[in-house]
């Protein structure tokens, strides 16, 4: 029997937004993923990380069907609209900054964007990401380092210092 999977919907939504790059497709991907999770509930092992299992299903669902479609680069403003209204009212420039961050994130190649979200937002360890995406640990580390460097360059901050490069490779187990 599966535990309550609905508590992981925010994480699934964030990951779906990164995968689809279209806020209009987020709910469809999350619902399809949850449907597949319920249908395949016998494959979940009690005691294992339910969130990682659900994120993996979301990833596989996207790869199976949604990647075949051309993803329109619409919805950037809708992504920035996801900033809660009280925060936006308190900080007028927050919407502009949020839109810029979303644009920079969406400009990253797929592999870098996915790994950056999983590591930074979902706080998954490099090993968890590697296992979930079925890729080597070194690939996770290099894609994350390249994603961080690309974001720094897009922001005009230039190349990372040696200390920043070392910190970006800090293993989170």
């Amino acid at each position: 029997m599966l535990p309550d999977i609905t508590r992981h919907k925010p994480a699934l939504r964030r990951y779906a937004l990164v995968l689809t790059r279209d806020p209009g497709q987020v709910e469809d991907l999350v619902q399809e993923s949850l449907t597949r999770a319920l249908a395949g509930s016998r494959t979940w092992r009690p005691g294992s990380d339910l969130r990682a299992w659900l994120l993996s299903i979301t990833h596989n669902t996207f790869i199976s069907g949604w990647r075949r479609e051309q993803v329109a680069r619409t919805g950037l403003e809708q992504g920035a609209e996801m900033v809660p209204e009280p925060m936006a009212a308190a900080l007028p420039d927050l919407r502009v900054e949020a839109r810029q961050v979303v644009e920079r994130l969406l400009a990253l190649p797929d592999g870098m964007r996915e790994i950056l979200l999983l590591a930074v937002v979902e706080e998954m360890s490099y090993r968890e990401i590697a296992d979930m995406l079925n890729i080597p640990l070194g690939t996770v580390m290099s894609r994350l380092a390249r994603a961080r460097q690309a974001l720094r360059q897009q922001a005009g901050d230039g190349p990372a210092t040696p200390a920043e490069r070392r910190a970006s490779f800090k293993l989170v187990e």
Side-chain angles (χ1 to χ4, degrees), residues 134-151:
N134 197 27
I135 59 176
L137 180 64
T139 301
V140 171
M141 294 169 61
S142 65
R143 285 184 186 171
L144 183 57
R146 289 193 321 263
R148 288 175 172 162
Q149 179 62 30
L151 289 177

